[in-house]
Amino acid sequence: MHSVEQKDSVTSAEITRNFGYWQERAQDRPLTITHHGRPRYVLVSNDRWREVSQADHGERPKPDQGTLEFALLMKHMDGGLVIIDNDLKVIQSSSEATLLLGHPCGEVIGRRIDEILPQVGCGPAIACIRHVSRTGEETHFELPGETPQHPPLRIKAFLWPNGVALIVRVFHDRNFDKTAIDGEALERACAAHGYIATVKLTVRATIAQLDARFAALTGLAPGQLKGTRFADLTVPASRAAVREAIEVVLEGSAASRAFGSKILTNAGIEVPVRVSIAPIASGFAISGAIMLITTTPD
């Protein structure tokens, strides 16, 4: 009989000399194997090991299929990934997608995609997303960008369990940076000219942006002009014609229009102007218009 019969540990040297005995001991309970007095291994029976393995496996929550697929796409895709439900609310978003959307992840989850990206609600994007949800057909669309810091986005939409997946990528338009540089040069040229003002209109024909020259022309502060209908700044006799010209362009019925009118300034002075207008188009959507307003030198 071995003197260590009641021990739950054994040295590596001892187990080497009497392995048959110790493996029988391990059938009853785990046996710790020590080396130079320190525990190194545990010898357990096959049945006991299966019980422990199954118990550990059962304690780990299994990720759902959607989480697994999301992780797989994130690992192999190029671009940001956003998952929205059938109510257009974001339920998952990758870190790259949140950067492209311009919002922290905590501000994205639970919000509607057209709240995060207002461009979605201004064009055919919503219709494309709903089409994917309804038919399961994959589609692509682009969202316009307004500055080099917020470039255009190209989005691929496809069906996802209980919603739609959006792969968001920056639309690398080779002409985008050049257009921005050209725009800056044009602005400097207009400023040097002295008699050219620029105004950007929304799709509702209200003023979204304006330069200092137009504000000076009207005698109003930029904050007072933003949100105002351009036609309401003209003399009453020409407002109907001005509204009609603007609407034709914003509806996409004309590539551009030019007309004469008079601006009614804050001081009550009527200033004759020549106005030209052209739509801001991206793909099949019109998001607004640009106006050039020229006056006659004194």
Side-chain angles (χ1 to χ4, degrees):
M1 180 177 294
H2 293 268
S3 59
V4 291
E5 188 174 356
Q6 301 301 319
K7 289 183 178 180
D8 291 328
S9 64
V10 61
T11 64
S12 57
E14 174 63 19
I15 200 170
T16 301
R17 289 193 296 268
N18 300 289
F19 183 73
Y21 169 77
W22 292 110
Q23 73 172 349
E24 290 296 328
R25 281 284 309 277
Q27 293 294 326
D28 298 328
R29 59 179 179 269
L31 189 66
T32 302
I33 303 173
T34 63
H35 182 67
H36 295 307
R38 295 182 179 180
R40 295 292 298 275
Y41 307 101
V42 176
L43 182 64
V44 296
S45 66
N46 184 62
D47 292 342
R48 177 58 177 162
W49 173 249
R50 287 179 179 274
E51 293 176 4
V52 173
S53 299
Q54 291 174 357
D56 288 345
H57 183 72
E59 291 173 359
R60 298 190 184 99
K62 294 182 179 180
D64 58 72
Q65 186 67 19
T67 301
L68 291 174
E69 293 177 355
F70 184 85
L72 182 63
L73 273 177
M74 278 298 305
K75 186 176 181 181
H76 297 285
M77 67 173 289
D78 175 26
L81 180 61
V82 178
I83 308 298
I84 60 177
D85 62 17
N86 293 322
D87 295 324
L88 304 180
K89 292 183 178 179
V90 177
I91 54 178
Q92 286 181 294
S93 178
S94 68
S95 56
E96 183 172 352
T98 57
L99 290 175
L100 294 175
L101 298 178
H103 296 270
C105 186
E107 297 180 5
V108 169
I109 304 301
R111 293 179 61 190
R112 284 174 56 97
I113 189 66
D114 53 347
E115 294 177 357
I116 302 167
L117 291 173
Q119 309 98 303
V120 171
C122 296
I126 287 288
C128 290
I129 292 173
R130 295 196 185 282
H131 178 77
V132 173
S133 179
R134 185 176 63 255
T135 67
E137 295 180 4
E138 180 181 301
T139 188
H140 299 76
F141 57 88
E142 295 172 5
L143 297 179
E146 296 185 351
T147 67
Q149 290 72 34
H150 298 87
L153 299 177
R154 177 169 289 168
I155 297 180
K156 174 182 178 181
F158 55 94
L159 197 62
W160 190 265
N162 300 317
V164 175
L166 307 175
I167 296 180
V168 184
R169 298 185 179 93
V170 174
F171 178 26
H172 294 289
D173 186 351
R174 290 179 296 177
N175 294 322
F176 183 75
D177 292 338
K178 183 178 183 301
T179 300
I181 294 172
D182 292 349
E184 293 175 0
L186 178 61
E187 170 61 24
R188 292 195 298 271
C190 290
H193 189 283
Y195 301 100
I196 301 176
T198 59
V199 170
K200 180 179 179 181
L201 299 183
T202 68
V203 292
R204 295 180 295 277
T206 58
I207 296 176
Q209 295 178 17
L210 65 148
D211 60 22
R213 295 180 298 279
F214 185 73
L217 173 64
T218 63
L220 296 169
Q224 295 174 293
L225 291 168
K226 288 184 178 180
T228 302
R229 292 187 177 275
F230 179 84
D232 292 344
L233 298 173
T234 62
V235 293
S238 65
R239 287 177 185 174
V242 171
R243 280 195 294 266
E244 180 183 357
I246 293 174
E247 288 173 3
V248 166
V249 171
L250 290 176
E251 290 172 356
S253 301
S256 62
R257 276 292 175 92
F259 54 89
S261 184
K262 292 181 180 180
I263 296 292
L264 186 60
T265 70
N266 191 41
I269 301 172
E270 297 181 5
V271 180
V273 293
R274 179 72 176 171
V275 181
S276 60
I277 179 173
I280 302 172
S282 177
F284 298 102
I286 292 176
S287 59
I290 293 293
M291 304 183 80
L292 293 181
I293 301 100
T294 58
T295 59
T296 303
D298 296 332

